Amino acid sequence: MLGYYLDLALRSLKRNKVLTALMVLAIAVGIGASMTTLTVMHLLSGDPLPGKSAHLFYAQVDAAPDAKKREPYDVLDYQSAMDLWSAKRADRQTLIADSQIKVHAPQANQPPLMLMMLSTTADFFPMFDVPFQYGRGWSAEDDATHARVAVISADLNNKLFGGTDSTGRSLRLRDSDVRIVGVLKPWRPSPQFYNVAGGRFSEGQTAAFYTKPEDVFTPLGSGLEINGDNFQPFTCWGRPSMPLHLQSAPCVWIGLWVQLDDAARVAGYRRFLEDYVAQQKALGRITRSDTRLRDLMQWLDFNGVVPRDVRLQTWLAFAFLAICLFNTVGLLLAKFLRRSGEIGVRRALGASRAAVFAQCLTEAGMIGLIGGVAGWLLTLAGLWLVRRQPTPYADMVHLDPGMFLATFALAVATSLLAGLLPAMLAARVAPALQLKTL
Amino acid sequence: MDILPILATLRRHKVILWLLMLEIALSCAIICNGVFLIAQRLQHMDIPSGVAEHELVQIQQAPIVPPPDRYARAQEDLAMLRQIPGVRAVGMSNQVPFGGSSSNGNVMLSPTQPHPTLSAAEYFGENLVQTLGLHLIAGRTLRTDEYVDADVVIRALADGSSEGFPMPMLVSQALAVRLWPQQNPLGKLIWLAPTASFRVVGVVETLARANAYNTATAQYSMIIPLHMGADKDQSYLLRTRPEDRPRVLAAAVAALKRADPARVIMHSRSFDQIRSDYFQDDQAMAGMLVSVIVAVLLVTGLGIVGLASFWVAQRRKQIGIRRALGATRIDILHYFQTENFLIVTFGIVIGMLLAYGLSLWLMMHYELPHLPGIYFPVGALALWIIGQLAVLGPALRAAAVPPVVATRSV
C-alpha cells in the first residue's frame, strides 16, 4: 500500500510543479535556518566532558573584606587557593590561572610567538581527560619543586617541531628554558570550561569562553616564577603594589577545580569548605562566610556560557520555521482540496477515510523529505557562513552525524505536522457530493 | 467597494482564512520586534567615542619585560614618533574607547563612603586631550607639569599616604552630570581610594569607555595625569590626516622596531578598525536580523500567492458568473485585492498583540527596553505592501477569466 501511496504522491507532486516547489522551498529555508542555529547551539551548550562532568566541581570562597550581599567572587585569592588545594581533601584537585607569554624554540628557526600559557597543577590532565600524543603530564613533585617543565598543544608542536615527538626538547618561555615533557593530541573542548569565570558580568557577550585551549601548560609555581607579572587579576579589593606580585596582592585570580567521585565525598567537601572559612574567620583573614561548590554544568549555567545572541538567533530561526509551517499547511490544504474530485472517486471506489488520510500524509512526508535534502544543503551553506564569522568558535562548527539525522527528522516531522490538518479535511470529503459535480 | 459580500465569502473558508491570518500575525510579530532589534543594534554601534575617529591610529606592544627605565623609554619613543612626517600629535594611553580591555576605578564622593557611587573608566597617559581630539567644554586641560610617574602614586597609595593629592583630573560631561547634577563640576573632589582624592579641573564633552557595553554608563570617563612608561597594556596613539593613516602607521611601527628590534607589536590599527572590531558582533547580528525579516516577508508572500491562486482556481465559475452579470475586470481585480487587504488587516491586528507579547518576553530574557509604538506601523505597512504585491498576480488571472465560463458545466 505504501508503494502505491508513494507513487500517487509523486504523480501529484509532478502535476503542479510551482506549488510543489513553493512547499519544498518553504520547508527547506525553515529547516536550513533552524538547523544552522540549532547546530551552533548544540555545539555551544553541550557537555564538554560527558560522563565525567557530574564529578567535577568548582569551589569558591571569598576573602574580600566587604560585607555587601553578593555572590562570592568567581576565582580565589592565592592564600585560599593554596590552602584548599594543598589540603588534598578531594579525589583530585587542580588550580588554574593563565597569562600571556612570549614563547621561543631555540632549535626552531622562527620568530618568538605571543601565546597563552595555562599554569596549573599535575592533576589537570587526568582530571579533565586531556589526551596526550607524546609523553605525559608532570608529577606532583614537579609542582612542589616548581620544575621547569611544560606540556604543549598539538598546534604548537606542529608549528615549532613539525609534529614530531618533541618531548625532552627545550622551549624558551620569556627568559627561562623549560623541558617539554608532553605533547597533547588536538584538544578542543567546547567551551574552554576550566577557564570559565565572570560570565555574569559580560552582558551575554560570552563568545570568548569558546577560544582554543592554551598552547603551553606549566606547573603553577614555575609559571609564576617565569611570568608572574603578566598574570591578570580577576578583580582586586585594594590597590595592589607595583610591580604586581599576585601572591600577596589583595586580588582574586586562581580557579580551583576538584573531582569528587560520590555524593558522600561531595557532602564532605562542602563541609570542608565551610570549616575552612570558619577557621579563617576565627583567624580574622576572611569575613564573608558564603561558599559555593557547583558541578561543571551548574557552573557553566551560572556563567550563562552560551552567548545571548546565539540563543536569540535560535529562537528567531524557530519562529521562522513556524511561519514556514503555517505556509506549508495552507499550501497543502489548497493542494488536497483541489483534488476533492479525485478523492471522491477513491472514496466511492471503497477507500476508507483512513486510507485517504494516509495517502495525503504520505504526500506531505515526501515533500518533507525533499525539503529535508534541500534544507540539509542550506544548513551546510549556513554553517559555512558561521565559520566565516570572526567568532572564537567558528573553527568548531560542523554538522555531526546526529545533527545530520536531526535535519531530516525535523523536516519530515514538520511536513507531517503541516499535513495533519489538510489530510484530515481531505479525508472528510463527501464522495457523493464530489461525484455529482464531476 | 462593498466589503460585506467578501466577508460573507470568507466566512465559508474559515480554515484557510485562519491559517493565513495566523501566518501574517506571526510575521507581523517577528517583523516589528526584528526591526526594533536592528534599530537597537545600530543605535548601539553608533555610540559616540568623543575622539577624532578618522584621524587616529593605535600601536600597542606585547607584554614583554619592561625596560628598566620605562618612563625615559616612553619619552624617547614619543619623541621619535613625533618626528614622523604627517604626524600632528602623539599621545599615550592605557586604554582607548572601544578597545575592549579596560581600566576602571570606583568613584566615591567622600573618603569614608562604604560603597562606591559608580565605576568609571580611568584614562592614564600623555597628551590625551590633544591627540584624541577631545572637546573641552569647561575648565582647562592638564598641564605638563601636573604629570606624575605612576610608581609614585602607587607607592603613596600602598603606604596610605595622601601626599601629592588631590591630583587634577578631567571628567567626561556624562560623568559630571551623573555625579553633580545641575552643579558646576569644576573644583569638585572625588576619591578613588580613601587617601586618593582628585580635583576636577576640566570637563570634556564625550569620551567613551573601552568596554562600552551599557549605553547608560558608556560615557563615564576620567583622565588622570600619570606617566605610565613603556609597559604592557600601554598604547601609542598618533593623530594624522585621514589619508596619511596607512603610511604613518607603517612608519611608526618601523621606527619602533628600529629603536628596539626585540619588541613585539600586538596591535597596529586605525581607530576605524578598532570601532569595527568592537562592534563586529552587533554588525553580524543586525545583518542576520535583516535577512530573517526579508526571508519572513518572502515566505509569507509566497504563501499568499499559493493560497490566492488556489482560491482563484476554485472560484473560476463564480467569477465567470459575476462577469456574465456585468462585473468588469477591474471589479474582479478589486475584489481580490480588497479581500487580501482585509485578511492581512485581521492578521495584523492579531500580530500586534503577538508582537507586544513577544516584546514582553524579550524584555524579560534579553534586557531590552519596551517595544516603542512606532515599530507597530512598520510591521503593518510591510505586510500590507507584501500582501498586495503577492495577490496581484492571482487577482489579474482572476480578472482575465472570461464570462463564458459561466455557461460551461465545469
Side-chain angles (χ1 to χ4, degrees):
Chain A
M1 214 55 193
L2 188 69
Y4 176 56
Y5 289 160
L6 286 175
D7 184 43
L8 277 183
L10 218 57
R11 278 162 194 274
S12 152
L13 292 183
K14 273 193 224 147
R15 200 172 308 141
N16 193 339
K17 294 210 177 73
V18 179
L19 205 59
T20 308
L22 279 182
M23 287 189 285
V24 168
L25 195 71
I27 298 236
V29 289
I31 293 295
S34 33
M35 284 313 291
T36 303
T37 55
L38 207 59
T39 304
V40 173
M41 190 74 179
H42 169 72
L43 177 87
L44 299 189
S45 61
D47 184 342
L49 278 179
K52 193 153 194 191
S53 55
H55 303 300
L56 297 174
F57 293 83
Y58 192 74
Q60 288 169 272
V61 302
D62 196 333
D66 65 299
K68 224 199 278 182
K69 205 171 151 52
R70 58 171 171 83
E71 276 284 328
Y73 281 138
D74 296 46
V75 282
L76 304 173
D77 61 291
Y78 185 73
Q79 179 76 55
S80 312
M82 290 316 277
D83 287 352
L84 294 171
W85 176 73
S86 46
K88 302 276 183 244
R89 297 289 286 269
D91 294 301
R92 280 179 178 139
Q93 46 255 304
T94 191
L95 296 173
I96 58 153
D98 63 4
S99 60
Q100 199 175 33
I101 194 166
K102 186 165 148 188
V103 177
H104 185 59
Q107 300 104 317
N109 200 8
Q110 280 187 28
L113 302 163
M114 289 305 303
L115 297 173
M116 290 307 288
M117 169 174 83
L118 185 75
S119 297
T120 178
T121 60
D123 279 352
F124 178 83
F125 303 100
M127 222 170 127
F128 296 139
D129 291 338
V130 185
F132 276 89
Q133 195 172 359
Y134 305 113
R136 58 186 65 80
W138 58 82
S139 65
E141 195 183 317
D142 291 331
D143 279 331
T145 59
H146 303 183
R148 293 293 187 259
V149 292
V151 168
I152 62 173
S153 69
D155 260 2
L156 185 61
N157 191 47
N158 290 340
K159 209 178 285 172
L160 294 182
F161 305 106
T164 56
D165 183 353
S166 60
T167 53
R169 299 174 83 161
S170 86
L171 194 66
R172 170 152 297 173
L173 298 181
R174 203 168 172 180
D175 303 317
S176 311
D177 284 317
V178 298
R179 185 168 50 84
I180 297 171
V181 294
V183 177
L184 300 186
K185 280 189 185 153
W187 183 51
R188 188 77 172 90
S190 161
Q192 197 199 70
F193 59 90
Y194 51 87
N195 243 343
V196 165
R200 64 205 152 107
F201 306 113
S202 62
E203 311 223 357
Q205 315 234 354
T206 51
F209 288 148
Y210 294 88
T211 44
K212 284 190 187 127
E214 293 79 357
D215 282 304
V216 182
F217 301 80
T218 54
L220 182 65
S222 326
L224 281 170
E225 283 169 10
I226 296 170
N227 201 31
D229 53 343
N230 276 334
F231 282 65
Q232 299 286 340
F234 178 82
T235 188
C236 299
W237 58 83
R239 292 262 164 180
S241 61
M242 283 289 168
L244 193 59
H245 182 255
L246 275 177
Q247 289 95 315
S248 57
C251 300
V252 291
W253 54 286
I254 305 187
L256 169 64
W257 284 96
V258 295
Q259 180 179 338
L260 301 163
D261 288 332
D262 57 55
R265 309 230 21 159
V266 177
Y269 204 83
R270 271 185 219 286
R271 238 180 352 264
F272 164 63
L273 284 180
E274 277 156 22
D275 292 348
Y276 172 76
V277 169
Q279 173 221 342
Q280 293 292 313
K281 273 177 104 167
L283 290 174
R285 191 180 77 84
I286 289 186
T287 51
R288 306 176 61 91
S289 54
D290 33 13
T291 66
R292 296 282 184 283
L293 189 65
R294 292 185 172 92
D295 74 23
L296 175 54
M297 291 315 280
Q298 285 168 344
W299 178 241
L300 296 185
D301 249 18
F302 175 71
N303 279 280
V305 290
V306 177
R308 195 161 59 187
D309 282 355
V310 172
R311 275 182 289 143
L312 189 60
Q313 282 163 7
T314 311
W315 284 112
L316 258 177
F318 274 88
F320 179 58
L321 182 65
I323 290 182
C324 293
L325 183 80
F326 274 112
N327 202 17
T328 312
V329 176
L331 295 178
L332 277 175
L333 196 63
K335 203 162 167 45
F336 293 162
L337 291 187
R338 258 184 108 166
R339 296 217 316 270
S340 294
E342 180 197 317
I343 294 169
V345 174
R346 280 204 69 210
R347 291 274 284 119
L349 291 178
S352 65
R353 284 193 172 174
V356 172
F357 184 72
Q359 183 206 332
C360 289
L361 270 193
T362 311
E363 192 173 330
M366 189 173 266
I367 291 169
L369 213 56
I370 304 172
V373 176
W376 166 59
L377 294 176
L378 286 178
T379 306
L380 289 182
L383 293 179
W384 178 79
L385 276 178
V386 175
R387 270 197 295 277
R388 285 168 45 95
Q389 299 287 323
T391 53
Y393 51 81
D395 66 300
M396 289 191 286
V397 172
H398 71 285
L399 196 68
D400 59 20
M403 294 313 272
F404 173 76
L405 290 179
T407 308
F408 288 92
L410 187 65
V412 173
T414 308
S415 63
L416 288 183
L417 192 66
L420 220 51
L421 178 77
M424 240 152 58
L425 290 180
R428 272 179 25 201
V429 162
L433 197 67
Q434 292 301 328
L435 286 176
K436 241 183 353 200
T437 60
L438 270 182
Chain B
M1 182 105 222
D2 202 355
I3 59 166
L4 283 178
I6 301 180
L7 289 177
T9 317
L10 283 179
R11 224 174 296 147
R12 304 191 46 181
H13 296 274
K14 282 209 190 80
V15 178
I16 290 191
L17 177 66
W18 271 104
L19 277 174
L20 258 179
M21 278 176 3
L22 284 180
E23 186 179 343
I24 288 163
L26 206 54
S27 307
C28 182
I30 290 184
I31 291 168
C32 291
N33 282 286
V35 172
F36 174 54
L37 285 173
I38 294 174
Q40 285 277 309
R41 295 291 165 138
L42 294 184
Q43 191 193 345
H44 186 221
M45 286 167 65
D46 218 31
I47 297 182
S49 62
V51 309
E53 298 201 7
H54 306 305
E55 301 175 14
L56 273 180
V57 295
Q58 176 205 23
I59 299 175
Q60 189 175 14
Q61 304 180 58
I64 41 174
V65 190
D69 49 351
R70 58 197 175 103
Y71 299 108
R73 168 64 75 86
Q75 294 306 330
E76 285 164 21
D77 285 347
L78 290 172
M80 186 178 67
L81 293 173
R82 218 169 280 128
Q83 298 307 314
I84 295 172
V87 170
R88 290 173 155 185
V90 173
M92 194 173 176
S93 180
N94 61 335
Q95 55 185 339
V96 291
F98 312 133
S101 163
S102 64
S103 163
N104 304 288
N106 287 325
V107 175
M108 299 182 286
L109 289 173
S110 92
T112 51
Q113 197 171 314
H115 300 306
T117 309
L118 52 81
S119 151
E122 300 170 320
Y123 280 87
F124 306 133
E126 321 272 338
N127 197 22
L128 281 178
V129 174
Q130 202 199 338
T131 312
L132 292 175
L134 301 178
H135 206 240
L136 197 71
I137 53 167
R140 59 169 180 88
T141 182
L142 297 165
R143 287 194 312 264
T144 355
D145 60 312
E146 287 169 329
Y147 277 80
V148 182
D149 285 354
D151 281 330
V152 175
V153 174
I154 289 161
R155 210 171 307 125
L157 279 173
D159 300 345
S161 135
S162 55
E163 199 191 319
F165 295 111
M167 280 181 72
M169 78 181 318
L170 304 181
V171 294
S172 64
Q173 192 181 15
L175 182 62
V177 169
R178 165 69 181 78
L179 291 177
W180 305 285
Q182 282 151 22
Q183 291 176 48
N184 182 3
L186 294 180
K188 290 274 194 301
L189 283 177
I190 65 155
W191 282 260
L192 294 178
T195 52
S197 57
F198 295 82
R199 189 184 300 284
V200 176
V201 298
V203 179
V204 295
E205 189 173 24
T206 312
L207 176 57
R209 301 168 78 146
N211 55 342
Y213 287 134
N214 187 338
T215 322
T217 60
Q219 309 287 1
Y220 290 174
S221 311
M222 317 175 273
I223 304 177
I224 296 168
L226 284 188
H227 291 303
M228 296 304 287
D231 200 352
K232 61 178 177 180
D233 304 334
Q234 309 303 316
S235 297
Y236 293 121
L237 302 171
L238 293 88
R239 188 164 172 202
T240 175
R241 273 195 303 270
E243 63 273 19
D244 289 343
R245 284 177 294 176
R247 190 177 55 74
V248 164
L249 197 55
V253 170
L256 286 171
K257 284 241 167 124
R258 214 165 30 242
D260 181 0
R263 289 188 220 248
V264 182
I265 305 289
M266 286 264 283
H267 292 302
S268 61
R269 50 184 183 173
S270 67
F271 196 89
D272 290 340
Q273 186 65 42
I274 296 176
R275 185 182 261 277
S276 92
D277 284 352
Y278 187 72
F279 290 112
Q280 65 184 17
D281 288 351
D282 295 288
Q283 178 112 44
M285 192 68 189
M288 148 129 195
L289 285 164
V290 169
S291 37
V292 164
I293 288 175
V294 170
V296 162
L297 282 174
L298 215 63
V299 166
T300 309
L302 289 179
I304 293 174
V305 171
L307 286 178
S309 306
F310 165 66
W311 254 335
V312 170
Q314 215 185 22
R315 296 187 206 156
R316 259 180 87 80
K317 194 157 173 184
Q318 285 107 303
I319 296 166
I321 293 171
R322 279 201 63 198
R323 293 277 283 125
L325 291 177
T328 61
R329 281 165 197 259
I330 299 292
D331 287 337
I332 304 292
L333 187 70
H334 282 173
Y335 176 90
F336 282 96
Q337 286 175 334
T338 313
E339 184 187 67
N340 179 272
F341 181 80
L342 286 178
I343 297 175
V344 173
T345 307
F346 295 149
I348 287 170
V349 171
I350 309 175
M352 296 292 172
L353 299 177
L354 217 58
Y356 184 72
L358 190 61
S359 117
L360 288 184
W361 183 85
L362 282 172
M363 275 166 68
M364 240 158 44
H365 289 83
Y366 293 94
E367 294 149 36
L368 278 170
H370 211 283
L371 179 65
I374 183 79
Y375 290 94
F376 288 104
V378 171
L381 204 64
L383 283 163
W384 271 319
I385 291 173
I386 202 82
Q388 288 302 315
L389 285 178
V391 85
L392 194 61
L396 282 174
R397 234 173 306 136
V401 170
V404 71
V405 166
T407 62
R408 293 188 188 143
S409 63
V410 178

